[in-house]
Amino acid sequence: MISITLATALVATLLQGAEAPVAKVQVSYLYDLSDATGPIPSIWASLAWDEERGELYVVDTRANEVQIFNQKGMEVFNFGDVEGLTNVASVAVLPGGDLLALVWVDGQSRVVRANFRGEVKGDWVPSGVPEKFAKDFLPGTVVVAANKVFLADKSRMKVLVTDLEGEVETSHDFAEAMKLTGKKADDAGMSGFSVDREGNILFTVPTMFLAFVVAPDGKLDAFGVRGSAPGRFNIVGGIARDEGGNFFVTDQLRSVVLVFDSKFNFIDEFGFYGPFPGGLCSPLDLVVANKKVFVAQSRERGVSVFNVRIN
Amino acid sequence: MKVRMTQLALVAATVLGFATSAYAFHEGGVAYCEGCHTMHNSYAGASGASYAATGSKQMTVNNPGNYISYTYLLQGSDQSSTCLKSGCHANSAAKATSKVVFTTGLTGGVPPASYTPGGDFAYLTKTYTYTPTYSTTASSSVGDRHGHNVIALDLTLAQDATLIAAPGGTYPRANLTCISCHDPHGKTRIVDATGTMESPRVPTDVSLPIGASGSYGEEPTADFAVGVYRLLGGIGYQPKSLSGSFAFAADPPIAVAPSTYNRVETTYDTRVAYGSGMSEWCQNCHTNIHNDTYPGVLRHPAGNSATLGAATTLAGYNAYVMSGDFTGDVSTAYSSLIPFEEGTTDRADLVLNAVIDGSKTQGADSNSNVMCLTCHRAHATGYDSITRWENRTEFLTVDGEYPASDATATEAKYGQFARGKTKAEAKAALYGREPSEFAYFQRSLCNKCHLKD
């Protein structure tokens, strides 16, 4: 049974623009992720958070590197371009510290399991894959959350959900479910994709100017209003959720991070365009953890870290 | 655990209803203004001086010195960076029919993933290095040479490192961006079935409003016009950011593309039906390269009057199959690797040929003409000088496979043939075609017309 709260959510979102926000966000820029030589440049790296160790994994596909940063934002390790672990597109941290790394080989993606040093332990192959996902499914993103593994083909808006061993539990074809056909299907596609601690799937579709939240039972909510004013989506990007249930969404064009509460009410936004410390350049992927927001950007700005407090 | 598929149909209807207008961004003409611009440039009420001086949070600033200004109240850092955003015209992985023209995050050995007819700008970032067998000195096919060097600072795309202006012209490299060719406001429109174009500019001009994109064959009506092909700039077009006299003298070409166009061509070609006027339009910037009066002017023919003609080139195009095989038939002679203009402005005719299912494979006729895009792509390719195939080596295939650093045959690995590409890259640069589509030792595709092999 699917309970529909979308209409309610949309009405709430539309009405929200007429109300003054009841909470504000206090933000301070901390630093850019660095190594001993200084800030590490990258363009639109993908991020993954290790909840147990409080470390951030950064996948820089251009450099063919996976970088690991401690809680002070310093790189403590990196690996890349090793046998079995070349062309890494995405990583996710399993309970216990092992990684699932999604790699590209000859135009196809596959997942390997490795330890935190990038030493491959073997292939990780999902089982019980529905026939519909046996072809025309090219995942480029892997996420581990709520003791499940999520493989996402963002272009086709398809997601496979498995247990930690790879046994498929659920599959989603959001384009089909939304009856997106023809040019609408072609123009659609996820930009940001993440999964919160409760297993809710979060994703954004820039051409629809919407962010979506899909609960484990399939209930779907969407929020977002198109525009360039504060609180509005222009070219929406990454999405993440903090421990308090607040949503954080990047806008690539406005170069801001928007903050919404758990009921999709706009709280505040922070950031402004600037290729210098404290500024944001077309922010995309982000992670929110321990009152910090890690934001991956373009223009070789790497990943900037902000301290965030919501009143 | 039982596998289940989520059912979101009811929600889908609501989402679609809400988002109906969300897909109408360009739609053949100017999009909604705040999609690219900021109206008041006062972030949360903090208007005023530049970031550098006061740290105020304006969306745009005026040339603060250390980075490129983005005046014109653009939200993006520069014109191309505004277009090439992830989810719009850039992405980490393209898919069929998508409008992505720049693949982000490429590692060495991985080819760009966008297969639009115009090409993937990510080739500008791909430098292929190799050492010929006859030398100990490494050579390179530099990324800078692979495409139009649009400046997009957010993606670290810089101006051309070598050419200071358009070849054959004077258009300055420092001003080359997406909007050098594409009018972001899409003013030029097709107003009737014969392809008449209008670009209302002065206050007294009157024309029809643009109601749809014209790139896929939709026809104008008495009530609305359609946009020109790919929102290309029309007569009089010159970006405000470019000073000097560079206004276009020629209107965009008449052409129709299939709506699904970003795809590999392993099985069937992506046939864009080019009608007329492409070379004349390229001449807006490449002033002295266009020629349709050969041999009166000693440049390779390209233009509306540069018809293949009834002589050798027409017969050759239709007969050519591959190196050493000239037994082809006109009914199957077409190749999207070497396209031509059909010599017509009748878009109703052209749309019938804009297919991806292999149903239209007929070759050229006496009205067909050579154009710039017969040999080049508009955006970028895996080859120097934005050619559609490798022109810096003798062979496109060696011993039946693509020459590549990881080829099987020894000779196919020779640096001078492989030119720094892997097999995957070599295949991708030819849009996914298998080497078996060519001869065992395939030579340049100039021979499609000239049959010298």
Side-chain angles (χ1 to χ4, degrees), chain A residues 61 87 177 186 228 234 252 273 299, chain B residues 12 51 77 86 97 105 107 154:
Chain A
T61 54
N87 294 330
D186 302 334
S228 67
N234 211 332
Q252 303 172 64
Y273 186 87
R299 203 163 170 172
Chain B
Y51 297 138
S77 56
S86 180
T97 80
T107 55
D154 283 359

Side-chain angles (χ1 to χ4, degrees), chain A residues 2 4 6-7 10 14 43-44 61-64 87 106 128 130 132-133 155-156 167-174 177-180 183-191 206-210 212 216-220 222 224-230 233-236 252-254 256 269-276 281-282 284 298-300, chain B residues 1-16 18-25 27 32 34-39 43-44 51-52 55-59 66-68 70 75-78 81-88 90-99 104-110 153-156 216 259-260 424:
Chain A
I2 305 298
I4 302 172
L6 177 60
L10 294 174
L14 291 170
I43 295 179
W44 288 335
T61 54
R62 284 192 322 154
N64 209 359
N87 294 330
D106 294 331
K132 200 175 167 183
F133 280 62
S155 291
R156 295 173 177 81
E167 180 70 32
V168 173
E169 295 181 352
T170 317
S171 59
H172 301 273
D173 184 338
F174 292 114
M178 294 181 191
K179 292 186 167 37
L180 299 177
K183 196 167 189 301
K184 281 186 166 45
D186 302 334
D187 286 343
M190 300 171 177
S191 179
T207 54
M208 296 173 74
F209 306 92
L210 289 174
F212 294 85
D217 64 0
K219 180 170 79 76
L220 180 140
V225 178
R226 186 179 79 180
S228 67
F233 290 167
N234 211 332
I235 302 182
V236 69
Q252 303 172 64
L253 192 57
R254 298 200 297 113
V256 295
E269 63 182 40
F270 65 90
F272 48 90
Y273 186 87
F276 43 72
C281 285
S282 195
L284 192 55
S298 71
R299 203 163 170 172
E300 301 279 26
Chain B
M1 183 173 294
K2 183 180 177 182
V3 175
R4 61 187 171 87
M5 181 80 76
T6 58
Q7 304 296 318
L8 302 172
L10 291 175
V11 178
T14 312
V15 170
L16 274 180
F18 176 75
T20 300
S21 65
Y23 295 98
F25 192 73
E27 285 291 344
Y32 63 100
E34 65 176 340
C36 299
H37 297 280
T38 171
M39 298 300 107
Y43 173 77
Y51 297 138
S56 72
K57 301 175 188 177
Q58 293 180 73
M59 268 192 189
N66 285 334
Y67 47 96
I68 297 294
Y70 40 109
Q75 294 182 43
S77 56
D78 54 61
S81 297
T82 300
C83 308
L84 297 174
K85 285 284 181 273
S86 180
C88 290
N91 211 331
S92 58
K95 65 168 181 165
T97 80
S98 82
K99 65 287 180 196
T104 59
L106 291 174
T107 55
V110 178
L153 294 182
D154 283 359
L155 295 172
T156 65
Y216 309 107
S259 59
T260 299

Side-chain angles (χ1 to χ4, degrees), chain B residues 123-197:
Chain B
Y123 275 113
L124 290 170
T125 67
K126 302 290 279 183
T127 291
Y128 304 106
T129 304
Y130 60 95
T131 304
T133 53
Y134 48 78
S135 171
T136 56
T137 304
S139 295
S140 294
S141 172
V142 183
D144 192 65
R145 311 297 331 125
H146 294 160
H148 277 107
N149 303 84
V150 292
I151 298 169
L153 294 182
D154 283 359
L155 295 172
T156 65
L157 294 180
Q159 67 182 22
D160 194 311
T162 306
L163 303 172
I164 61 173
T170 57
Y171 200 101
R173 62 179 173 178
N175 289 82
L176 188 61
T177 66
C178 300
I179 72 166
S180 297
C181 300
H182 300 278
D183 179 357
H185 303 123
K187 289 185 71 71
T188 305
R189 64 211 67 194
I190 298 171
V191 297
D192 60 32
T194 66
T196 305
M197 296 185 190

